[in-house]
Amino acid sequence: MRDYIVRAIAAGGSVRAFAATTKGMVETARGLHGTTPVATAALGRLLTAASMMGATLKNDTDLLTLTIRGDGPIGGIVATTDCKSRVRGYVFQPQFELLLNESGKLDVGGAVGAGTLTVSKDLGLKEPVSGQVALVSGEIAEDITYYFAASEQLPSSVGLGVMVDTDCTVKQAGGYIIQLMPDAKEEVIAHLESKLPKLPAVTTLLEEGKSPEDILGIIFGAQDVAVHEKIYPEYFCSCSVEKTRKALSNVEPNELKSILEEDKGATIHCHFCNKDYRFGEDDIRQIIIANGGKA
Ligand code: ZN
């Protein structure tokens, strides 16, 4: 099944909901970064959250970045998305092993440790808009739930999951975000409060063959749900030789000279797709001259 996100409203428009299946993009991320299972799960959960949050961006140039920094072995995780839910991301440390947690699951909370979650939105204004919260558990879904409540005053429930197969590839990945608008009625809130804690893991539902629409149906039960949009997220790195050259041309003239004289060129690494861009002596000379300097 191709990855997709459904965007819906429920309970007469008083609840906003997203549900997603994201196995393809998480498997692409795993292939690019060579992550071990627990790192795949951590990165996949953050990428899945980012892809659903991307659907709330309005303009083509808007970007949303989720950054987790923790004192666990993974060090940190970054995921970004645009308004088309094209995501990319990386983890600081892709290869480490951890024992399963007490529930026999990949120990994402143990991999992340204690730290912070920062959500930064670049909406084309002078400065990006950002909010930061302390991590609740490092399990990511709970941390994002807390971010919505504390930073955006948006009562939410977030579920995220990545199931890794015995051969370390991604078997299932997906998630949901349910958000209460200010006009949500008590009975709707009560229904969700009783339903959500009993909901099986998203990956269990996906493994049973349930679709994102089915998952929303299970969550809302008799409440009305209207799917407004189907979005096809993908793992997409926007890096290019031109963009990398532009970044290099912003380096201080003196530093460019020392790159030329001492290093005889520069290799720029893209963390998001692990591509290396090599600029030789001639390239650096051209950049220095283009910037009005002498090489
Ligand atoms: Zn790249």
Side-chain angles (χ1 to χ4, degrees), residues 88 237-240 270-275 277:
R88 55 181 190 161
C237 191
S238 53
C239 71
S240 65
C270 175
H271 288 294
F272 292 102
C273 67
N274 276 329
K275 211 180 269 173
Y277 292 94

Side-chain angles (χ1 to χ4, degrees), residues 66-80:
L66 300 169
T67 307
I68 284 181
R69 285 174 194 278
D71 62 6
I74 205 166
I77 320 165
V78 177
T80 80

Side-chain angles (χ1 to χ4, degrees), residues 12 26 101 227 234:
V26 177
N101 65 17
V227 170
E234 59 172 328

Side-chain angles (χ1 to χ4, degrees), residues 125-169:
L125 307 169
K126 250 187 189 161
E127 296 281 328
V129 184
S130 70
Q132 189 178 73
V133 291
L135 295 173
V136 177
S137 64
E139 292 283 339
I140 301 176
E142 284 169 27
D143 305 303
I144 293 174
T145 300
Y146 179 63
Y147 160 81
F148 279 127
S151 219
E152 299 199 3
Q153 286 74 50
L154 206 50
S156 308
S157 178
V158 181
L160 300 168
V162 174
M163 188 186 279
V164 178
D165 214 338
T166 44
D167 64 357
C168 296
T169 61

